[in-house]
Amino acid sequence: MKAFRLDDLEAERAANDGAYLQFLRERNMSVGLYALDAGELDPQLPHRQDEVYFVVSGRASIAVGTETTQVGRGSVVYVPAGVPHKFHHITEDLRVMVIFSPPES
């Protein structure tokens, strides 16, 4: 078993001065914590992997392809591989668990 505490992951991410911390990598998937502060711009480019976002905290909108929706704590969003996507209008610091399949390269 591998178990993680969100507080520990957030502290590690912040200590490494990065918006993204990959904390689990297995043969068929990887998982990370992504952080964007209120008002920040999301620099993401499309990924080669399918993704699932689980919003742990915060509020924002997300555009996936031509669709846009608001997200907040508890929201789950699927993004197919290769589709442009970005969080925007981040009104509360956003913390998102990201699951990539296959693992992010």
Side-chain angles (χ1 to χ4, degrees):
M1 174 194 309
K2 295 178 183 176
F4 306 91
R5 290 187 41 83
L6 188 57
D7 292 346
D8 295 338
L9 296 172
E10 176 63 14
E12 183 179 348
R13 184 205 57 78
N16 289 309
D17 294 324
Y20 183 72
L21 170 71
Q22 182 182 99
F23 62 88
L24 179 66
R25 184 179 181 85
E26 297 294 334
R27 187 171 53 94
N28 293 315
M29 62 177 277
S30 62
V31 184
L33 180 64
Y34 189 44
L36 293 167
D37 291 336
E40 194 171 352
L41 297 177
D42 184 359
Q44 290 192 82
L45 298 173
H47 301 94
R48 296 186 322 224
Q49 305 83 0
D50 287 340
E51 293 177 81
V52 173
Y53 289 116
F54 172 71
V55 178
V56 176
S57 63
R59 300 196 60 75
S61 294
I62 186 171
V64 178
T66 60
E67 299 178 276
T68 298
T69 192
Q70 292 184 343
V71 295
R73 183 175 160 244
S75 297
V76 178
V77 178
Y78 167 68
V79 179
V83 174
H85 58 285
K86 288 194 184 292
F87 289 98
H88 58 94
H89 294 97
I90 301 167
T91 57
E92 294 176 15
D93 292 354
L94 195 62
R95 299 301 180 264
V96 181
M97 184 119 7
V98 186
I99 300 132
F100 286 100
S101 181
E104 183 185 32
S105 40

